[in-house]
Amino acid sequence: MLQWRTSLRKVPITRNEYFCEIDEDYITDRFNLTGLNAEVSHYQYALDIICDVFEHEVDGETRDQIEKSARHLYGLIHARFIITSRGLSKMLDKFKKSDFGRCPRVLCQQQQLLPVGLSDLPHSKSVKLWCPKCEDIYTPKSSRHASLDGSYFGTTFPHMLFQVYPAVIPLKPEDRYVPRIFGFKVHESAVVQRWQDEIREEQKRRRAIEG
């Protein structure tokens, strides 16, 4: 047996650029963690690691299991924290610094991206990146980022961010690539383009009514 004391600052999950640092007082308020004990094995040990109060004798195999649980628990807490006012503020700073990368679509002109989950259920979908300009999603370039569980960000976060901070909503792109052959528009794209125009106009009308 060995004496093991560590904190999650040494666990790889918090060194990932997509995560913000969760405020300590949020973690220590047990109300915020309601229900997580049923989702994480070695829950109390994992929480002790996150709070940097772990002082138990464990063997190497148990330590690895607890570390894995601590990473998962941190991710689940992170999903809850980033939709609080404090969490949104921290993620907004990361968005402004382009910590999540930029949209690969040429006509989005390097628009900053936001992480989003396609499911709120753990271990079901990996994290994706959402562009608020073209409103499409992309797979992160780095495998280290692409392997993150999407539930650690959730389906709500990026859209709530713009509800709280509408001033940072980017303008939708006016330009669209038009396929051409010898300068003439490809006929098959015309129907799709008209449909896209109708959808865009409907979205504009809806925003005007809501505004």
Side-chain angles (χ1 to χ4, degrees):
M1 305 292 284
L2 57 88
Q3 186 76 14
W4 180 50
R5 177 180 174 87
T6 186
S7 74
L8 199 61
R9 298 184 190 92
K10 300 178 182 177
V11 179
I13 193 170
T14 55
R15 293 201 294 270
N16 193 298
E17 296 85 353
Y18 285 10
F19 288 88
C20 70
E21 183 177 353
I22 304 173
D23 291 345
E24 184 176 351
D25 58 353
Y26 184 86
I27 298 175
T28 54
D29 185 343
R30 296 305 173 91
F31 175 79
N32 298 323
L33 312 185
T34 301
L36 294 183
N37 60 322
E39 300 186 42
V40 180
S41 59
H42 305 291
Y43 172 79
Q44 190 55 56
Y45 285 172
L47 185 59
D48 287 348
I49 293 175
I50 294 174
C51 296
D52 199 14
V53 294
F54 189 97
E55 290 184 339
H56 302 280
E57 291 185 356
V58 296
D59 56 42
E61 182 178 352
T62 303
R63 179 187 66 184
D64 292 342
Q65 293 174 356
I66 295 173
E67 274 195 357
K68 183 178 180 180
S69 293
R71 288 192 291 268
H72 183 46
L73 178 58
Y74 190 91
L76 296 178
I77 298 173
H78 185 269
R80 296 183 177 189
F81 177 69
I82 61 175
I83 56 175
T84 66
S85 58
R86 176 65 174 157
L88 287 169
S89 175
K90 286 191 172 189
M91 294 296 273
L92 176 64
D93 289 340
K94 295 174 71 62
F95 170 69
K96 289 180 176 179
K97 292 186 293 184
S98 304
D99 284 356
F100 310 114
R102 295 178 180 273
C103 184
R105 181 176 179 271
V106 173
L107 295 179
C108 282
Q109 301 178 326
Q110 297 289 300
Q111 171 62 47
Q112 298 100 320
L113 299 170
L114 285 167
V116 65
L118 300 183
S119 172
D120 294 312
L121 298 175
H123 313 304
S124 58
K125 300 285 186 179
S126 60
V127 69
K128 302 301 178 185
L129 295 172
W130 179 70
C131 174
K133 258 192 179 180
C134 65
E135 298 185 335
D136 210 343
I137 58 172
Y138 303 90
T139 298
K141 292 181 179 179
S142 168
S143 59
R144 183 166 63 92
H145 297 146
S147 62
L148 288 173
D149 195 318
S151 68
Y152 297 163
F153 302 89
T155 58
T156 297
F157 157 67
H159 316 299
M160 182 172 285
L161 182 75
F162 289 125
Q163 288 286 325
V164 177
Y165 298 103
V168 298
I169 298 176
L171 296 175
K172 302 303 177 186
E174 297 294 334
D175 297 330
R176 183 191 301 107
Y177 172 71
V178 179
R180 296 176 184 273
I181 295 178
F182 300 120
F184 295 97
K185 294 181 181 179
V186 179
H187 176 71
E188 288 78 7
S189 69
V191 175
V192 176
Q193 184 170 322
R194 284 197 297 271
W195 175 79
Q196 291 175 332
D197 288 338
E198 290 173 3
I199 294 297
R200 182 172 287 103
E201 289 303 316
E202 176 61 26
Q203 290 175 338
K204 287 181 179 178
R205 287 193 294 269
R206 195 175 302 163
R207 285 196 295 270
I209 294 172
E210 293 175 352

